[in-house]
Amino acid sequence: MNTITYDQELDCRGLNCPLPILKTNQTISKMDVGQILKVEASDPGSVSDMLAWSKQTENELITHHVNGELYTYYIKKS
Amino acid sequence: MNTSKRKRLALIASKGTLDWAYPPFILASTAAAMNMEVGIFFTFYGLPLLNKKIDAKVAPQTNPAMPMKMPFGSENFQNMEWPIPNILANNIPGYETMATSFMKKSFAKKGVASIEQLREICVESGVRLIGCQMTMSVFGFEPDQFIEGVEFGGAATFLEFAADADISLFI
């Protein structure tokens, strides 16, 4: 889990639907193909939403994990 | 990137209260973030959502199921529901303004975007905003009161766009 290296990180803690998705999309659209974005969120709905967004945009959700109320995502730009 | 044809979302926004202003802008901005092509047709009471300054309020008297909660105090206090009878809600002067201000505060505290913020993201991500010409004529709206980039048209304009939509919703 901790060994993933990332190029950029985004703090979406405290934000509610749909902001984590909108900010993730805005950030990733400015990154290069193959780069990895780490996103931290506190919105429990972000798990399902991030999976759906990743499937629809074909940006790869490499892994995600939950630690208490903190949701962490690693996304690879496609 | 998705190589197949982009999915298309066609929305009609027909309501102008603060609570009902959210669904079209949330769905449109999210769909655009999901690489969809989006158009919203603003008609009747939805049209003022295109005003430069949005003045949407909640109308608790038309929605008896709306929970009345306080945006301040301890967490327990905030989670309490205040059963305000409709007869009171309808007659207390300023009740609507108060409920609107409470809802805006609760939304901001929970990290929900403002309508203006979501609309801005829609504009930036190329969502088509179509104002209903007939509504403008009926209610006396002028094109220069709306934000930049609004197109004007009627039912046929919307239907032409919606004919190729994958998702169409009336809100």
Side-chain angles (χ1 to χ4, degrees), chain B residues 100-120:
Chain B
T100 300
S101 131
F102 280 10
M103 183 174 273
K104 282 186 176 171
K105 284 200 183 92
S106 298
F107 278 11
K109 279 183 108 162
K110 301 283 181 190
V112 176
S114 68
I115 294 296
E116 288 82 355
Q117 198 180 353
L118 291 170
R119 186 175 70 173
E120 183 68 35

Side-chain angles (χ1 to χ4, degrees), chain B residues 8-151:
Chain B
R8 181 180 281 193
L9 170 68
L11 299 175
I12 295 181
S14 72
K15 296 179 181 70
T17 53
L18 180 65
D19 44 352
W20 282 101
Y22 270 98
F25 286 122
I26 289 177
L27 290 172
S29 56
T30 307
M34 293 172 86
N35 197 30
M36 297 185 194
E37 201 181 349
V38 190
I40 317 174
F41 184 65
F42 294 85
T43 188
F44 281 80
Y45 313 117
L47 189 57
L49 298 177
L50 292 176
N51 280 342
K52 284 179 184 139
K53 188 181 176 331
I54 298 174
D55 190 29
K57 291 186 165 64
V58 279
Q61 62 274 35
T62 62
N63 187 1
M66 191 182 109
M68 187 63 203
K69 297 193 176 185
M70 298 299 161
F72 44 73
S74 70
E75 197 162 330
N76 280 343
F77 184 76
Q78 287 190 41
N79 286 335
M80 272 169 67
E81 222 172 281
W82 298 77
I84 311 285
N86 230 8
I87 183 96
L88 282 181
N90 279 335
N91 291 296
I92 300 174
Y95 185 79
E96 195 179 77
T97 306
M98 186 193 72
T100 300
S101 131
F102 280 10
M103 183 174 273
K104 282 186 176 171
K105 284 200 183 92
S106 298
F107 278 11
K109 279 183 108 162
K110 301 283 181 190
V112 176
S114 68
I115 294 296
E116 288 82 355
Q117 198 180 353
L118 291 170
R119 186 175 70 173
E120 183 68 35
I121 294 170
C122 285
V123 171
E124 280 167 9
S125 48
V127 170
R128 272 183 79 182
L129 306 172
I130 309 162
C132 173
Q133 185 64 60
M134 183 273 272
T135 308
M136 287 177 66
S137 311
V138 171
F139 293 125
F141 292 141
E142 296 298 332
D144 61 7
Q145 75 184 73
F146 300 118
I147 53 168
E148 296 269 322
V150 173
E151 314 165 37

Side-chain angles (χ1 to χ4, degrees), chain A:
Chain A
M1 294 277 183
N2 298 323
T3 55
I4 297 178
T5 52
Y6 51 89
D7 301 283
Q8 217 170 315
E9 65 183 319
L10 176 67
D11 182 6
C12 290
R13 287 173 298 171
L15 299 180
N16 219 319
C17 170
L19 285 175
I21 293 297
L22 299 182
K23 288 193 180 289
T24 299
N25 188 69
Q26 280 177 341
T27 307
I28 210 132
S29 65
K30 292 183 197 123
M31 291 170 63
D32 296 327
V33 172
Q35 285 193 316
I36 291 170
L37 173 68
K38 176 189 178 182
V39 182
E40 287 188 324
S42 53
D43 170 21
S46 64
V47 179
S48 168
D49 282 357
M50 206 63 97
L51 286 166
W53 170 83
S54 141
K55 193 175 162 205
Q56 187 65 36
T57 60
E58 294 178 7
N59 289 298
E60 187 193 346
L61 184 57
I62 302 167
T63 182
H64 63 102
H65 53 86
V66 188
N67 185 1
E69 288 179 359
L70 182 67
Y71 301 81
T72 309
Y73 305 89
Y74 291 91
I75 304 150
K76 190 181 194 176
K77 161 116 178 192
S78 304

